[in-house]
Amino acid sequence: MTTVEARPLPGRDRADDERADGDTADPDRTDHVPADRTTPDRGPANRAEPRPGIPPTLSPMLSRLAQERATGVLTRERGVLYLVEGQVVHAESPATPGLDVLLTTRGALGSDGWWEAVSEAGADRRVGRFLVDSGRLTAGALELCHLGALYDAAFFTLGPSSGPARFRYGVAHWIGPVRPVSVDAVERETLRRRDLLHRIWPEPGTDTEPLVRTGRAVDATLPPRQRTVLDQVDGERTASDISLVLGRPGFHTLVDLRRLAAAGIVTTRSPTIASGPIPTGSVESGSIASGLAECGPDGARTPEAPATPLSPVSTVVAQAAEAAQASADPDVALLRRLRDALEAL
Amino acid sequence: MPGIDECLLEAMRLPGARGASVVDWTSGLALGTVGDSPNGDHEATAAEAAELARLAAEHKAFAPEEGADWSGGQPPVEDLIICNKDSYHVLRFVRTTFDSSVFLHLWLGRSDGNLALARIRLGEMAERLVVG
């Protein structure tokens, strides 16, 4: 576990500054589930019960942090959650556009306006407040966009994870307070969203893999939001690439792609379609596969598609996520890397 | 300039208001709720209302005669009205300048609610929420 410098709140024991454990979605850890979670106290209608095989608690560590009303940042494999006194105040994931992309893509906010707010109020961690006070956004618009982005990034962050989770006490996000939500609400919504996707189309491939059109004719009744997504399917882009291009929350894109997949219009790119040089190092002498490997590029030796060239936007986000994980000060480092990468586009 | 809570509280001051919420119709997420909900569960109500709103927004039958104008990514439908024996539901789509799929949902008692007034006011609230 990499030890990074945390910024503790005054009075907190240093020894407690950082916590890490194997916070993977491990079914063995479901004993952390509060007994009342399964109590049908909210009515049975449309309640997304976790399906068999899916642990009813997404992150035991997150539940504990909520109970102890912790403040800081939880870093998981696919994103980060910022907590203030046990409530979720912000979330980010490389799989979905950040607030800046969401607000600037359609012109709700000019890029200049965004960066001015970040430079004016970022150090005080009041960027959200500044955007409203300076008249750039209404409180309602900021809350709608930020809250949507929070649940969206949390959905990806709390997705199945194989890596350990890490919590750093005292770290706050520069966006500042907007509209905190409970950990319980975030976890419940994440499970409900998984269930929603599964009901639309049970194959999860379109969530993450490069997408292609099947060639099936598209009739005029295709809803415009799905058509907008379909127009971005080019054989290379993934769902998160498309979300970034459209400035649309990632989960919304997943929903539309599952609907397009269910309609037989979009599918994942088959490994055999992908072309590219075969890594020579993968031919192992004496292995059973080596005979197959000589059959051609679509042989069994390459079960996975060759690495897809990342689009600039996904590279930016990947870099930003990497910076956030590697740096002692994720906020400032993230901002710098994002700015540099955006300017370089 | 009002936030989500102020907007919902304003909606609750309408005659006959029983409950109000702001809902994302793509995911079914309730972004904010106040008052009661018809089945005692705002989240479940939001998910059901979202499904209805999505169908209304996406089906051409409900678009204006000149066609479904989705300019700005916003649906061509302004609002939905549901009436039952004892209550009204008004769902008002919120037009935002960023990509979204949000509506306001107001639940009114039929005996003391004023549907026409509620519809007009909800439209004004939806606009003020994002435009100011």
Side-chain angles (χ1 to χ4, degrees), chain B residues 82-102:
Chain B
I82 310 274
C83 307
N84 63 32
K85 197 186 282 182
D86 61 19
S87 66
Y88 301 120
H89 293 262
V90 185
L91 276 57
R92 175 78 191 198
F93 289 92
V94 180
R95 302 184 72 86
T96 58
T97 48
F98 49 90
D99 192 287
S100 75
S101 54
V102 175

Side-chain angles (χ1 to χ4, degrees), chain A residues 12 16 19 21 29-37 57-72 74 83-88 167 169 181-185 187:
Chain A
R12 183 173 283 282
D16 202 26
R19 165 183 282 182
D21 68 14
R29 306 192 63 156
T30 55
D31 57 327
H32 290 282
V33 185
D36 62 357
R37 183 181 284 274
T57 188
L58 291 162
S59 165
M61 187 174 177
L62 184 57
S63 305
R64 287 197 301 279
L65 292 167
Q67 279 168 16
E68 67 178 62
R69 298 172 60 81
T71 295
L74 176 70
L83 306 183
V84 171
E85 295 186 355
Q87 289 199 302
V88 184
F167 189 75
Y169 285 94
V181 289
S182 72
V183 163
D184 196 40
E187 291 200 316

